[in-house]
Amino acid sequence: MTTAPFGTVAVEPFGDSAVMVTVPHAEQAVRRSAIVAFRDRFLAHRPHGVLDVVSGLESLLIEFDPLRTAPEHVEYAVRLLARWAPGDGPELPRAVREFAVPVVFDEETGPDLVSVAEEVRLEPAELVEAIAKSTFTVALLGAAMAPMMDGLELPGPVRRRAEPRTDVAPGAIMIAGDNAIIQPFPGPTGWRVVGRTPHTIVDISRPDPVSFGPGDVMRFVPVTRDEAAALGAGFLLPVEVSL
């Protein structure tokens, strides 16, 4: 991970009970990796009165109880944590988990597969190969805990659909820009659907509904329909070896 320039964090009010934290830097990769690393540090030393921490691709929204703390106290804690150099405080490094996600790529599971291939000037098989070769890093958990990921390596960014789909199946693999996301539950989306995994991504009946978090790494592994059927809809778990 790129060294995070924590000393330059920006803290802005966000309504009466939240602040928005960003890391000003010219390089997008640095901004994104830095905010993920800072999130882990902040959660390891969560200040009094903080209710929730919401990750964005390049930002961190910190929500607090205004009856228990004040914006200036939260900002002070943010800047204090940002100034810590490695070794200044008790860091709790989080091990990066790796996932191999089986995916069926065809025109039924991926209704946008052909149109995306045409857009980036590849054959559908070449598009699948490029997606499979990409290494994705979970940047944040979006709506319904869907993993939003960086790392899509194609000849160009992928446009969103002009007309969103109204009902996308759970497990759908979707791409837009240079990002990917997995649909946890049925629902609408403007992202381009290129495949589907048989695995369950989010299971709210479990104590831990998801097995992944920001900073984890995923790769999509093409499988046939028969192979996907044999795997079943098991809960997605990390692999034990490097991908």
Side-chain angles (χ1 to χ4, degrees), residues 41-178:
R41 176 181 290 189
F42 186 83
L43 289 176
H45 308 281
R46 182 191 291 253
H48 172 76
V50 169
L51 299 176
D52 197 10
V53 176
V54 182
S55 296
L57 282 173
E58 300 179 14
S59 63
L60 200 66
L61 180 67
I62 300 173
E63 301 176 349
F64 58 88
D65 183 348
L67 298 179
R68 298 169 59 197
T69 188
E72 56 268 26
H73 296 158
V74 177
E75 179 176 349
Y76 175 77
V78 167
R79 297 193 183 280
L80 181 64
L81 286 168
R83 285 197 296 270
W84 274 1
D88 282 353
E91 292 294 321
L92 298 176
R94 176 186 174 280
V96 173
R97 290 162 293 193
E98 300 182 343
F99 296 79
V101 185
V103 180
V104 176
F105 292 98
D106 60 27
E107 292 186 35
E108 182 178 339
T109 61
D112 295 313
L113 187 65
V114 172
S115 63
V116 171
E118 292 174 350
E119 181 179 321
V120 296
R121 299 182 180 181
L122 294 174
E123 294 296 323
E126 294 174 324
L127 173 61
V128 171
E129 182 179 3
I131 293 172
K133 287 183 176 179
S134 299
T135 299
F136 296 94
T137 301
V138 179
L140 61 94
L141 303 189
M145 294 176 280
M148 183 177 291
M149 298 167 276
D150 295 328
L152 179 62
E153 296 186 9
L154 294 178
V158 177
R159 295 193 300 268
R160 293 185 180 228
R161 287 180 56 85
E163 183 176 343
R165 297 185 183 280
T166 58
D167 191 18
V168 175
I173 307 300
M174 307 183 295
I175 59 178
D178 59 357

Side-chain angles (χ1 to χ4, degrees), residues 1 17 37-38 54 78 83 94 103 106 137 141 164 171 204 219 222-223 227 236 239 242:
M1 179 177 290
S17 58
F38 182 75
V54 182
V78 167
R83 285 197 296 270
R94 176 186 174 280
V103 180
D106 60 27
T137 301
L141 303 189
I204 59 174
R219 297 185 82 170
V223 297
E227 290 170 334
L236 179 66
V239 296
S242 298

Side-chain angles (χ1 to χ4, degrees), residues 194-240:
V194 295
R196 189 186 309 153
T197 179
H199 279 321
T200 299
I201 304 303
V202 178
D203 184 351
I204 59 174
S205 69
R206 296 171 63 96
D208 295 318
V210 299
S211 57
F212 46 78
D216 288 338
V217 172
M218 292 192 185
R219 297 185 82 170
F220 296 139
V221 181
V223 297
T224 66
R225 284 179 170 272
D226 288 343
E227 290 170 334
L231 288 170
F235 186 65
L236 179 66
L237 295 171
V239 296
E240 297 295 330

